[in-house]
Amino acid sequence: MTQAFIDVLAGQRQAVPPIWMMRQAGRYLPEYRELRAKAGGFLDLCFTPDYAVEVTLQPIRRFNFDAAIIFSDILVIPYALGRSVRFEAGEGPRLDPLDTPEKIATLAAKADFTKLEPVFEALRRVRAELDSRIALIGFCGAPWTVATYMVAGQGTPDQAPARMMAYRHPDAFAKIIDILVENSIHYLVGQLRAGANALQIFDTWAGVLPPREFLRWSVEPTRRIVEGVRKAVPDAKIIGFPRGAAGLLPDYVATTGVNAVSIDWTAEPAMIRERVQSKVAVQGNLDPLALIAGGAALDRAVDDVLANYGKGRLIFNLGHGIQPETPIAHVEQMVRRVRDYKG
Amino acid sequence: MTQAFIDVLAGQRQAVPPIWMMRQAGRYLPEYRELRAKAGGFLDLCFTPDYAVEVTLQPIRRFNFDAAIIFSDILVIPYALGRSVRFEAGEGPRLDPLDTPEKIATLAAKADFTKLEPVFEALRRVRAELDSRIALIGFCGAPWTVATYMVAGQGTPDQAPARMMAYRHPDAFAKIIDILVENSIHYLVGQLRAGANALQIFDTWAGVLPPREFLRWSVEPTRRIVEGVRKAVPDAKIIGFPRGAAGLLPDYVATTGVNAVSIDWTAEPAMIRERVQSKVAVQGNLDPLALIAGGAALDRAVDDVLANYGKGRLIFNLGHGIQPETPIAHVEQMVRRVRDYKG
């Protein structure tokens, strides 16, 4: 079994970069919206293997991407830790906030992984159904990003509640992080054993932290997760996505030991080539709005990604998740253009 | 008249860095809230010299900052261009959106500067009242940032409407930018002639753009403004604040010709020192949340800024505007610590 996606992570540049999209199983697909309407709540979709398998495979059938990513959510770990997690239509996630050191002291240390058995089951079934040349990606949220939701109880413009907790009560905040590190290791190893060929750690909110806090709350916990996963699965392939880390990306790469980083669309190409892509593979970084815009603007934006990073190890992706209003024809246009690349 | 603030911009590092705060005339001050309650709307506050002068001077009286910034708003240019601009309590600005090329075609080319005469009058009066050692800063919004509000009609999480307009209708979008460039030059020169000692160009939304768009919509218009202002006032001192520009800051500095850049709290110190502070002065970059947190976290954050940038040309400031819930005692703590710095 050879997978172009895994080959890039393992060190071999591909002439035509492998391609997939963050949030590729999502609302821009009519077949997803149809299933979602039947499934009930968002967590029912994640935790019913019949649904999760189908939704994971939908974008592969349409676009023949080089990787599938298991349909799930970064908040399944707090859910397995016994926290209340709800997804209300059009509102994003809602959790019971851990907004005082006293509440944090009550957080369970160990997740109930039987609650996540449906995710492992879905991984096994997707891996069995998927063409062997297509990689299957498992994932979790980075502790910092998951903690921002656990503290605030929801997403906020710059996750100020968690940043404030980390400034005012660093020991209490460290307790959340430590619990997330340990349980994320267990969860990621379980995903590899269930059939995932690679892992991605999403740190969506890394970019709101000053350097000292970034190193402590984003980089160091991620390093511990990578180390812990590799203790169980020595050749585990891991992609980090510290969104917005910008100039701190080289530090993130040097310290965490990831095989690749996903970069957002504002990255500075010369720095990324010299200080990041020289060491690990790069995944990214089309502006999701260019994909909505389509036409000549989309072609130019695709060409910029290929020109900036195509001479090195590249996995073509967006700089963030695809948005619901994206026309499917534009995704097709992007895939054609990437696969026509004469690198 | 010697001003430490201007000396830093002109090339001379100061042993104790001059200090002021973005949004220092604002809601964290009880004397501001009191006047605001009397003044009626936000624009009434900006356009009534008695009020604008008083509000501009309030933080100077309390903290003896090294610079005052005229109390105004970046949306006074669209207002003078005849656009409807409203500030509703707790909601941020509302404009009539320029959301089609057809609407953009109707935009006036020239602002009515008699509408901005109260700003010039306030500058003259502040300059007359201010201690000669304290600098007075005039400002405008960068064309990109002002245009994002003009297109969307309001602030949005990542200013997608303007980004989409720029992708789909670059010629129409360029028309807004060109009009803003010309009128910003005129407005900034007017502020210098009314008594401003330096200028700041706020590009709050620079950080949402990919490199190609950043160069076209943020850097190039700012370069034209700097050039245009210096044609009238050759030694004009200008600070740029392309918030979130991160790895693209060196390009911004090299191209625009600004004397200093304001940096946000996520900047990577080594890169900033080597590629930015080696060429221009740096202003920043305390996390406004550290100022709310206070205590040891605030001391450590202040020390980090001084350690990172204090050996070069530094104007101490926040990485973004001060937030309304900031305790005044914490501002005093910060000012003391900066002025005790033994650089």
Side-chain angles (χ1 to χ4, degrees):
Chain A
M1 174 181 82
T2 301
Q3 296 170 346
F5 174 88
I6 295 294
D7 288 345
V8 172
L9 294 181
Q12 285 175 261
R13 172 182 176 273
Q14 304 293 300
V16 175
I19 178 171
W20 68 286
M21 298 191 303
M22 288 189 271
R23 224 178 288 157
Q24 65 191 13
R27 281 193 284 153
Y28 73 105
L29 290 174
E31 58 269 36
Y32 173 92
R33 295 195 297 270
E34 199 180 311
L35 197 70
R36 173 78 204 261
K38 279 200 297 202
F42 179 79
L43 284 179
D44 297 316
L45 206 56
C46 295
F47 289 140
T48 306
D50 281 353
Y51 294 149
V53 169
E54 170 60 20
V55 161
T56 299
L57 291 171
Q58 283 171 348
I60 306 301
R61 290 190 202 113
R62 257 194 198 266
F63 306 111
N64 192 29
F65 285 129
D66 294 278
I69 183 163
I70 191 67
F71 186 80
S72 184
D73 192 83
I74 65 167
L75 297 179
V76 298
I77 296 261
Y79 171 79
L81 284 166
R83 307 300 305 166
S84 160
V85 178
R86 306 172 300 285
F87 288 83
E88 275 141 46
E91 290 220 12
R94 291 288 182 277
L95 296 81
D96 293 333
L98 288 172
D99 51 7
T100 64
E102 293 69 34
K103 287 190 202 167
I104 292 172
T106 69
L107 181 62
K110 267 194 180 304
D112 174 2
F113 282 97
T114 61
K115 287 185 170 177
L116 303 185
E117 181 50 38
V119 179
F120 301 133
E121 172 64 16
L123 278 157
R124 282 188 290 269
R125 286 164 56 178
V126 170
R127 188 57 276 172
E129 287 195 33
L130 208 53
D131 186 301
S132 66
R133 288 162 303 177
I134 298 175
L136 176 57
I137 305 170
F139 72 91
C140 71
W144 161 250
T145 286
V146 176
T148 63
Y149 290 97
M150 292 175 76
V151 170
Q154 62 184 69
T156 61
D158 58 1
Q159 301 296 55
R163 289 163 60 209
M164 193 60 80
M165 183 68 73
Y167 276 130
R168 286 195 169 142
H169 305 289
D171 294 341
F173 191 71
K175 184 185 163 171
I176 306 181
I177 295 290
D178 290 344
I179 289 172
L180 290 172
V181 165
E182 292 309 318
N183 287 285
S184 297
I185 292 169
H186 190 97
Y187 181 49
L188 291 175
V189 170
Q191 291 185 70
L192 288 171
R193 293 195 169 139
N197 305 106
L199 301 168
Q200 180 151 332
I201 300 172
F202 287 88
D203 210 353
T204 311
W205 289 101
V208 299
L209 292 170
R212 175 193 292 275
E213 317 295 314
F214 176 74
L215 295 176
R216 176 165 186 187
W217 304 122
S218 171
V219 173
E220 180 58 18
T222 302
R223 184 198 68 72
R224 288 164 60 197
I225 290 176
V226 172
E227 183 182 74
V229 170
R230 295 229 178 98
K231 204 170 278 179
V233 183
D235 68 340
K237 299 287 180 293
I238 305 175
I239 303 168
F241 182 27
R243 186 169 70 103
L248 296 163
L249 264 175
D251 289 324
Y252 178 93
V253 165
T255 304
T256 59
V258 293
N259 303 88
V261 284
S262 214
I263 57 174
D264 65 64
W265 65 89
T266 67
E268 199 265 299
M271 187 282 276
I272 295 291
R273 281 194 300 267
E274 287 160 30
R275 300 187 56 202
V276 176
Q277 203 178 26
S278 58
K279 307 210 163 42
V280 296
V282 160
Q283 174 173 280
N285 71 341
L286 189 83
D287 183 353
L289 282 197
L291 194 58
I292 301 176
L298 173 57
D299 284 348
R300 192 167 52 233
V302 168
D303 292 350
D304 279 348
V305 173
L306 294 168
N308 286 333
Y309 308 111
K311 300 290 176 203
R313 282 195 283 152
L314 172 65
I315 295 164
F316 196 98
N317 205 315
L318 311 187
H320 197 22
I322 183 171
Q323 296 194 10
E325 63 269 42
T326 310
I328 285 171
H330 295 182
V331 179
E332 293 165 345
Q333 176 185 342
M334 171 189 75
V335 171
R336 268 197 312 274
R337 202 158 180 100
V338 171
R339 290 196 164 145
D340 285 346
Y341 178 60
K342 308 275 185 269
Chain B
M1 176 181 81
T2 301
Q3 297 170 345
F5 175 89
I6 295 294
D7 288 345
V8 171
L9 295 181
Q12 286 175 261
R13 171 182 176 275
Q14 303 294 299
V16 174
I19 178 171
W20 67 286
M21 299 191 301
M22 289 190 270
R23 224 177 288 155
Q24 64 190 15
R27 282 193 283 151
Y28 73 106
L29 291 174
E31 59 267 36
Y32 173 92
R33 295 195 298 268
E34 199 181 311
L35 197 72
R36 174 79 203 260
K38 280 199 298 205
F42 178 80
L43 284 179
D44 297 315
L45 204 56
C46 297
F47 290 139
T48 307
D50 282 351
Y51 294 150
V53 169
E54 169 61 20
V55 161
T56 299
L57 292 171
Q58 283 171 349
I60 306 302
R61 288 191 203 113
R62 257 194 197 265
F63 307 111
N64 192 29
F65 285 130
D66 295 277
I69 183 162
I70 191 68
F71 187 80
S72 183
D73 191 84
I74 64 168
L75 297 179
V76 298
I77 296 261
Y79 171 80
L81 284 165
R83 307 301 304 167
S84 159
V85 178
R86 306 173 299 287
F87 288 82
E88 275 142 46
E91 290 220 9
R94 292 287 181 279
L95 296 80
D96 293 335
L98 288 172
D99 51 7
T100 65
E102 293 69 32
K103 287 191 202 166
I104 292 172
T106 70
L107 180 62
K110 268 190 180 304
D112 174 2
F113 282 96
T114 61
K115 288 185 170 180
L116 303 185
E117 180 51 39
V119 178
F120 300 134
E121 171 65 14
L123 279 156
R124 283 188 289 269
R125 287 164 56 180
V126 170
R127 188 59 276 171
E129 289 195 33
L130 207 54
D131 185 300
S132 65
R133 288 162 304 177
I134 298 175
L136 175 57
I137 305 170
F139 72 92
C140 72
W144 161 250
T145 287
V146 176
T148 64
Y149 290 97
M150 293 175 75
V151 170
Q154 63 184 67
T156 62
D158 58 1
Q159 301 295 55
R163 290 163 58 207
M164 193 62 80
M165 183 68 74
Y167 276 131
R168 285 196 170 142
H169 306 290
D171 293 342
F173 191 72
K175 185 185 160 172
I176 305 181
I177 295 290
D178 290 345
I179 289 172
L180 290 173
V181 164
E182 292 309 318
N183 287 285
S184 298
I185 292 169
H186 190 96
Y187 181 49
L188 291 176
V189 169
Q191 292 186 69
L192 288 171
R193 294 197 167 137
N197 305 104
L199 301 168
Q200 179 150 333
I201 300 173
F202 287 88
D203 210 352
T204 311
W205 289 101
V208 299
L209 292 169
R212 176 193 291 276
E213 316 296 314
F214 175 75
L215 295 175
R216 178 165 185 188
W217 304 121
S218 171
V219 173
E220 180 58 18
T222 302
R223 185 199 67 72
R224 288 164 60 197
I225 291 176
V226 172
E227 182 181 75
V229 169
R230 294 231 178 96
K231 205 169 278 177
V233 183
D235 68 341
K237 299 289 179 291
I238 305 176
I239 303 168
F241 182 27
R243 186 169 69 103
L248 296 162
L249 264 174
D251 290 325
Y252 179 93
V253 165
T255 304
T256 58
V258 292
N259 303 87
V261 284
S262 214
I263 58 175
D264 65 64
W265 65 89
T266 68
E268 201 264 299
M271 186 282 276
I272 296 291
R273 279 194 301 267
E274 286 160 30
R275 301 185 57 202
V276 176
Q277 203 178 25
S278 58
K279 307 209 162 44
V280 296
V282 160
Q283 175 174 279
N285 73 338
L286 189 82
D287 182 354
L289 282 198
L291 194 58
I292 301 176
L298 173 56
D299 283 348
R300 192 166 50 232
V302 168
D303 291 351
D304 279 349
V305 173
L306 293 168
N308 285 333
Y309 308 112
K311 300 291 176 202
R313 280 196 284 151
L314 171 65
I315 294 164
F316 196 98
N317 204 315
L318 310 187
H320 197 22
I322 183 170
Q323 297 195 7
E325 64 269 40
T326 310
I328 286 171
H330 295 181
V331 179
E332 292 165 346
Q333 176 185 341
M334 170 189 75
V335 171
R336 268 196 313 273
R337 202 162 180 96
V338 171
R339 291 197 164 145
D340 284 347
Y341 178 61
K342 308 274 183 271

